[in-house]
């Protein structure tokens, strides 16, 4: 019961902060979607958020999500699940089957595989293109200098259902610079959605136009060890 009270209270506090940071205009375009990042958390930790009305969640790995979400989505069929971690092409079929939104498209081979899978299955999914705004070699994402060409190819040539862009700024840099850059790229391509901002900086991201904020720790607390997830999911 303690977990349920903690998660529900945390969720309510985050929602209040989102509302406070959001633009004052009460229009559909200014709505900010909270993506509750449930990676590293067992189903019993996620259910209190579902019971509190949260319906949009994010996971990093296909395999971990497969162990938790088929049952949870059966119980709460209006749940929307986002893949926010890197995706290997050999996992595209499983990802398209389970996830409603894939936020981490970052190379043409992956984009083509998603397009082919959607065409073959007839499933309707949305994707975000991940931009490596900090140009960090260890991080996934299209480089900013290559983003325009990549977006154009995905939209015009592959007819990929691109809803928007996603970024993860370097932890040691001011996030605002990266949020502004992502917003500029999205504006050039008339993409309506911006997934940016996490527990430490989502309020700043909202001020720069974030439509989706990915928040884990502020909602669920510290993640459990990986072996705990495998044993208890």
């Amino acid at each position: 019961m303690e977990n349920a009270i903690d998660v529900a209270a945390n969720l309510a506090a985050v929602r209040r902060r989102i509302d406070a940071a959001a633009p004052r205009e009460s229009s559909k375009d200014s709505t900010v979607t909270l993506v509750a990042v449930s990676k590293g958390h067992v189903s019993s930790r996620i259910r209190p958020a579902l019971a509190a009305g949260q319906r949009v969640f994010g996971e990093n790995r296909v395999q971990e999500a497969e162990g938790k979400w088929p049952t949870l989505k059966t119980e709460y069929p209006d749940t929307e699940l986002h893949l926010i971690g890197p995706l290997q092409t050999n996992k595209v079929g499983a990802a398209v089957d389970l996830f409603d939104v894939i936020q981490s498209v970052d190379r043409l081979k992956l984009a083509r595989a998603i397009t082919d899978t959607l065409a073959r299955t007839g499933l309707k999914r949305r994707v975000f293109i991940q931009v490596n705004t900090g140009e960090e070699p260890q991080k996934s994402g299209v480089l900013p200098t290559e983003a325009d060409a990549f977006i154009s190819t995905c939209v015009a040539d592959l007819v990929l259902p691109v809803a928007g862009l996603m970024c993860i700024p370097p932890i040691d840099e001011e996030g605002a610079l990266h949020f502004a850059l992502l917003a500029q790229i999205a504006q050039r391509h008339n993409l309506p959605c911006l997934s940016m901002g996490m527990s430490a900086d989502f309020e700043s991201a909202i001020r720069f136009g974030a439509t989706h904020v990915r928040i884990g720790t502020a909602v669920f607390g510290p993640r459990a060890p990986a072996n705990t997830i495998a044993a208890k999911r």
Side-chain angles (χ1 to χ4, degrees):
M1 188 64 181
E2 180 181 347
N3 283 352
I5 293 172
D6 287 346
V7 171
N10 289 346
L11 187 60
V14 168
R15 286 173 175 164
R16 287 194 295 270
R17 290 171 62 187
I18 289 173
D19 289 343
R24 293 299 93 194
E25 309 86 40
S26 57
S27 69
K28 183 174 67 174
D29 293 336
S30 65
T31 300
V32 178
T33 298
L34 166 59
V35 181
V37 179
S38 51
K39 68 173 183 178
H41 295 287
V42 295
S43 297
S44 60
R45 190 76 169 179
I46 299 168
R47 280 196 172 90
L50 286 160
Q54 178 64 25
R55 289 295 181 270
V56 184
F57 293 83
E59 290 281 346
N60 263 42
R61 296 180 177 86
V62 174
Q63 186 172 357
E64 181 186 334
E66 286 178 321
K68 299 183 291 189
W69 281 102
T71 298
L72 292 173
K73 290 188 83 171
T74 298
E75 296 173 13
Y76 296 88
D78 57 339
T79 298
E80 182 176 280
L81 192 60
H82 291 230
L83 178 63
I84 59 175
L87 177 60
Q88 298 174 343
T89 53
N90 65 347
K91 295 283 188 180
V92 166
V96 167
D97 185 56
L98 180 59
F99 290 90
D100 303 283
V101 181
I102 297 173
Q103 290 202 16
S104 49
V105 176
D106 63 351
R107 58 200 187 278
L108 283 177
K109 184 178 180 181
L110 176 59
R112 289 192 184 99
I114 294 172
T115 296
D116 292 345
T117 302
L118 294 177
R120 185 177 67 252
T121 63
L123 293 170
K124 303 295 183 183
R125 300 291 185 255
R126 292 179 295 145
V127 305
F128 287 56
I129 290 171
Q130 182 174 353
V131 181
N132 186 351
T133 55
E135 302 186 26
E136 299 174 275
Q138 79 282 9
K139 191 173 287 183
S140 301
V142 181
L143 294 176
T145 54
E146 300 172 359
D148 288 323
F150 183 76
I151 294 167
S152 295
T153 298
C154 288
V155 173
D157 298 344
L158 300 181
V159 197
L160 194 66
V162 179
L165 306 179
M166 183 266 266
C167 76
I168 306 172
I171 59 173
D172 58 349
E173 293 185 17
E174 175 57 52
L177 300 174
H178 300 271
F179 303 149
L181 174 59
L182 196 72
Q184 290 168 4
I185 298 171
Q187 186 176 35
R188 289 200 295 268
H189 295 271
N190 296 313
L191 295 175
C193 297
L194 288 170
S195 175
M196 55 190 195
M198 296 184 283
S199 290
D201 58 10
F202 68 87
E203 286 147 320
S204 173
I206 290 171
R207 288 192 289 272
F208 281 90
T211 60
H212 294 69
V213 291
R214 309 179 306 274
I215 302 175
T217 302
V219 172
F220 296 108
R223 291 193 296 274
N227 58 346
T228 303
I229 300 299
K232 296 184 178 181
R233 62 192 178 194

